[in-house]
Amino acid sequence: MAGGKKGGHGSRATSSKATSSKDTSSKATSSKATSSKAGSKGGGSRSASVHSSSVKSSSRRSTIADDRSSSHGSELLKVPSPPRYDGNRDNDPAAWQEFAGGAPLPSPLSLTLAIRNLDLGGAAWAKIRGFAPDTPLPPKPPISTAGKEVRLTLNTFPVLTFPERTVWQYDVLIGNGAEPRGKTSRAWHSPTVQKKLGKNWLFDGNRLAWSLVDLQKELREVIDLDKEYGQQTKRKIPMETTVVVRKSKQLNFNTLSAYLKGKCDFDQHILEAITFLDHLLREWPSTKYNKIKRNFFSRPQNRFMIGEGVEAFHGVYASMRPVHSIDQGAQLSVNVDVANGTFWTEAPVHYTAREVARCRDLDDLVIKLQPETDRHGARVESQAFRILRMFRKLRVSVTYRNQQGEPVKYQIDKFLNQSAEEYEINVKDPQTGQEQKISLFDYFKKAYNLPLAFRKAPIIQTTKPNVVLPMELCRFLPNQRYLFKLNDQQTSNMIKFAVTPPDQRWKNVVFGLNMLNWSEDPNLKAYGLKMDSKPATIKAHVLPNPKVQFGNTVHNPGTSGRWDLRGKKFMAGNQKELKSWGIMVVDGRGAPDRAAVQRFITEFVKIYTGHGGKVVNPKPVIMPSGAHTDGGKMVEALWTATGNANQMRPQILMFVLLFKEIKFYNRIKKSCDCRYGVVSQCMQAAHVLKCQAQYISNVCMKFNAKLGGFTSRAVGIKNNPEWSSFSKPTLIMGGDVSHAAPGSVDIPSMACMTFSTNKPCTRYAAAIQTNGHRVELISSGNIQAFMSPMITEWCSNLGNGRVPEQLIYFRDGISEGQYLQLLDQEVSDIKAVLKSFDQRETTKLTVIVATKRHHIRFFPDKGDRNAADKNGNPLPGMLVQTGCTAPFEYDFYLCSHSAIKGTARPVNYHVLLDENKFPPSELFQMIYDHSYQYIRSTTPVSIHPAIYYAHIAAKRAAAHENKPSESGPTMKKKSHSHSDETKKKDDDEFLPLIPMPETSKIKFEMWYC
């Protein structure tokens, strides 16, 4: 269609245009259905340095070193340190040879290999990066026999045999070495190259290949891609590229065997062997299915629509890793699990656009896509038009030139803010031979007899030069991954689809095994890699559950993993009698009237006092929002009215909301937390109207926590009257960093640390701050700012002026590739702060990384009441130390909760440092016991509360951003500039969060709960 009737398949944008088009491209944001949390196993960053938050930390611990060395005269930085990185990409290897936080290795292992997704363990990753730590990671302890022994099946499949034939590794160079992936793949798979190479070659898609063939000399071929694939083109310069394949080395599987037997350390030979086996495992499935990292998706008949043009379906996840084995010490195993993917639905583009823009029909879509006029009279994009940026880089097909022929495929570059009537092209008149301008609408009508039904809709500019297409003639190709964050409704639908009970999940695993079809894999057969068709079965242990102590009774939940609050008093009620409090009802349709609110308050006071709450004023201020529509104004009005009515500072403010709206909620929380320093509680109007006792008791747990109390405590096997699970004064800390969706370059990461504030470790204060952009390690400045006031408060209230003797730091979100950086950076910063309080450094640290981002699942034998609950999930307290754990490092899996829906996901705990030398059985039991102490639940939680609270507080940090609450996030691909509402100090530093008032001491309370 280009430039004329027979010039091509699209209209070429070589002519003048009615109005200039505006680039609408934007980087896609990621759904969590198949992706992992910011950072992969290999870990790394965009650069060696890190964007700092409120305190810059371009050199590690510089702030702490400057502040502390001057006051104590001690040298804190004993050795240079690796640059901070965010864990998103491997750094330049050279950077890892420049520091000496221990004994530097001769050189880092090769980083040209595609190894970011391998599960190798922290010590292996240290060697890959060329760094030997001062203190090695703790070795795997002997298997603990604590608890009741049971039998479990894992979704792992042992590797039985390695390749026995010689495998050669080759370096591959295609073009200049930086060609697009599509061009690289086409060149490698071209008939000429494949004929020269022969069968059973493996290619990593980048620089490495493997084969059983020993090429005596390099292969060098110049490939004309158009001729190779029989494509006719008017290209004057052939689309040629050079393919060079050169032998580099022979793989050594004997070294890998020796490593698994514990006879040698991890080295380059082992890395090369595991990398090859990982590619071998994925080679054949990659040719048959849609591959997304280690997930494979076919397009099944049964697909689940989750809304707005997006569908979900199951695939298979497969990953090879070294694991611990009771019989062999260590072995390779393949973890196979169900993968849940989200994809754009195969449909006409304008139909999908109607769904995404939430329009009534296609005519409504066309209207909403029309350009708008701003206050200066300039033509600007409409909100609906900006939504079309989501379609960038998606592939479409068109069939208007040949309805029965093969569809022609294009990729969307952007949408032009012009209609087919406005956009003009130059077309040669067949009679006169002269060029004339014609609209795209008229062109399709004359050339193809296609009168466009939606002539005023924006048109698509493709990535093919000068080719534009009407939206209604394009159809999305199937199996294109949806890369954006799911909205609330999509998330709800996705949960319904993804959450499956254990028996159904195992059927999905079997379905995935059939997809992989190892017995028929020609590459596995050729190389001699064989996996057991039967899953691994192991001996696990069910830890004894603790009792739950309330103010008036002790309850033993047994293995049920749940209890209720009927007839029970909180272990500790509110610290001060409740006198000054108020409740505001947001006006609108569905809001409860004053009588309904009074009825709710009466019942609330009755139930709260029944649980041990102290209320001296049972009649709080009740007021409607009235003319106030802004959350901040509502808080101001309620604060003033409550303070005046009681002649004292309000202790807590309550709000009855009509619906869940995050911006409005954040506005209320920002004003309460940061302006007035008062805790608050929001409730849904529907629940207030129902006035159910169970709901009120659930609210009372949060209400009581915010006023200084706590619900209960766990009484385990080891129970010290003063320090509960511990025999010494102990502080527990949690750490987490939350990130915006990938592509949201103007949204900072939020760091959070939590601190236990009472002896049983049932209450936790939280500190939050911006932490640069997608930076996983908490900055030195943040650690100092978080810890200094909290340690001061702890020493004053709990330590009799002394620092804790034991500190346990639970950290979430750290990949194996970042373990050593966590110890070298965050833990060193923590020690530096502690040393500023105690030069003798008497506090001993235990550092544990916890993660739920894995694919290990436990499947007890059906009907085994000693191991499984009624749904087939493992009983709470299920401990696994072998079969899926690291072969030589100190880690374990613990399923501490009872899954209400779906298949329970255990938590992997990895001990990186243990100066306290806790006996393993005591450490396991302590973590399990503390899961029963989550302050707002009547069930044990899946992960240690210190981390759970850090998740909640980090999420709440968005409400404290230093910008108007009504301004939403922007998503700019290249520019870091903000509007006036969201501007940063400079390109590398985000504005700090609004601080909470020091006078109220709210930061030491559970304000986030």
Side-chain angles (χ1 to χ4, degrees), residues 817-868:
Q818 296 170 295
Y819 286 172
L820 273 298
Q821 284 67 50
L822 177 73
L823 291 174
D824 187 80
Q825 298 174 22
E826 285 189 18
V827 175
S828 295
D829 291 341
I830 290 171
K831 288 185 174 182
V833 174
L834 290 171
K835 187 174 181 180
S836 70
F837 285 88
D838 176 22
Q839 287 292 311
R840 297 173 299 169
E841 300 183 76
T842 57
T843 303
K844 296 187 182 300
L845 266 68
T846 295
V847 180
I848 303 172
V849 170
T851 180
K852 296 174 69 176
R853 295 185 177 276
H854 59 77
H855 285 266
I856 297 295
R857 296 296 184 272
F858 303 159
F859 297 91
D861 291 342
K862 191 172 183 180
D864 185 356
R865 299 183 62 181
N866 292 321

Side-chain angles (χ1 to χ4, degrees), residues 30-37 340 342 484-486 739 853:
S30 175
S31 165
K32 295 185 179 179
T34 57
S35 61
S36 58
K37 189 175 180 178
N340 300 307
T342 51
F484 291 79
K485 183 178 180 180
L486 302 179
H739 307 285
R853 295 185 177 276

Side-chain angles (χ1 to χ4, degrees), residues 873-910:
N873 275 307
L875 293 175
M878 187 67 72
L879 173 70
V880 171
Q881 305 167 71
T882 185
C884 54
T885 56
F888 307 116
E889 297 175 10
Y890 187 178
D891 78 322
F892 56 94
Y893 286 82
L894 178 62
C895 186
S896 59
H897 68 300
S898 177
I900 300 174
K901 293 182 179 180
T903 304
R905 176 169 50 181
V907 174
N908 179 223
Y909 292 97
H910 203 123

Side-chain angles (χ1 to χ4, degrees), residues 404-625:
Q404 283 75 39
E406 184 71 19
V408 182
K409 300 174 183 178
Y410 297 96
Q411 187 177 51
I412 296 175
D413 181 47
K414 60 184 177 182
F415 282 79
L416 301 179
N417 208 357
Q418 296 173 269
S419 68
E421 286 185 327
E422 296 172 314
Y423 191 90
E424 294 182 335
I425 60 174
N426 292 326
V427 178
K428 282 187 177 181
D429 189 312
Q431 297 180 350
T432 64
Q434 296 181 346
E435 285 193 348
Q436 60 179 5
K437 289 183 179 180
I438 185 173
S439 72
L440 196 63
F441 172 79
D442 291 335
Y443 172 79
F444 272 96
K445 187 175 181 180
K446 293 180 179 179
Y448 298 101
N449 193 27
L450 283 174
L452 301 178
F454 304 99
R455 63 178 71 183
K456 295 188 179 297
I459 56 177
I460 295 172
Q461 180 171 310
T462 69
T463 54
K464 188 172 182 179
N466 305 323
V467 176
V468 296
L469 296 165
M471 188 191 306
E472 64 189 89
L473 298 183
C474 300
R475 185 180 183 86
F476 285 126
L477 295 175
N479 277 33
Q480 297 192 83
R481 188 182 175 194
Y482 183 78
L483 293 171
F484 291 79
K485 183 178 180 180
L486 302 179
N487 61 35
D488 291 342
Q489 186 58 50
Q490 288 173 324
T491 300
S492 176
N493 292 334
M494 187 66 187
I495 291 173
K496 294 176 184 177
F497 166 74
V499 173
T500 55
D503 57 346
Q504 182 59 50
R505 191 178 189 97
W506 185 254
K507 290 179 181 178
N508 291 337
V509 171
V510 173
F511 172 79
L513 287 170
N514 292 333
M515 286 179 60
L516 296 173
N517 199 7
W518 290 330
S519 62
E520 300 300 324
D521 189 324
N523 294 309
L524 297 184
K525 288 181 178 180
Y527 286 91
L529 179 65
K530 185 177 181 181
M531 276 74 67
D532 197 336
S533 60
K534 297 179 180 179
T537 58
I538 61 160
K539 292 179 181 179
H541 294 82
V542 180
L543 299 176
N545 66 278
K547 297 177 181 178
V548 182
Q549 182 178 358
F550 293 89
N552 61 338
T553 185
V554 176
H555 178 73
N556 184 358
T559 58
S560 67
R562 56 191 70 253
W563 57 93
D564 59 52
L565 294 175
R566 287 176 295 184
K568 299 178 178 68
K569 292 184 179 293
F570 295 146
M571 186 70 185
N574 47 317
Q575 291 181 336
K576 296 180 181 179
E577 294 179 331
L578 182 59
K579 178 182 177 182
S580 182
W581 58 310
I583 180 168
M584 174 172 281
V585 181
V586 178
D587 289 333
R589 186 176 180 180
D593 57 22
R594 188 175 185 87
V597 176
Q598 288 176 333
R599 183 169 59 253
F600 177 85
I601 290 298
T602 300
E603 190 67 13
F604 181 88
V605 171
K606 175 185 174 182
I607 292 176
Y608 183 46
T609 54
H611 288 316
K614 299 181 284 287
V615 181
V616 296
N617 174 20
K619 296 183 178 180
V621 171
I622 301 175
M623 62 182 299
S625 60

Side-chain angles (χ1 to χ4, degrees), residues 682-721:
C682 294
M683 299 174 292
Q684 291 293 310
H687 292 304
V688 172
L689 287 168
K690 291 177 182 178
C691 197
Q692 294 177 339
Q694 183 176 347
Y695 171 77
I696 293 176
S697 286
N698 290 339
V699 173
C700 283
M701 287 191 287
K702 301 174 65 175
F703 191 87
N704 186 61
K706 292 172 182 177
L707 293 176
F710 61 93
T711 306
S712 59
R713 80 177 185 98
V715 180
I717 297 174
K718 184 175 180 180
N719 181 36
N720 182 291

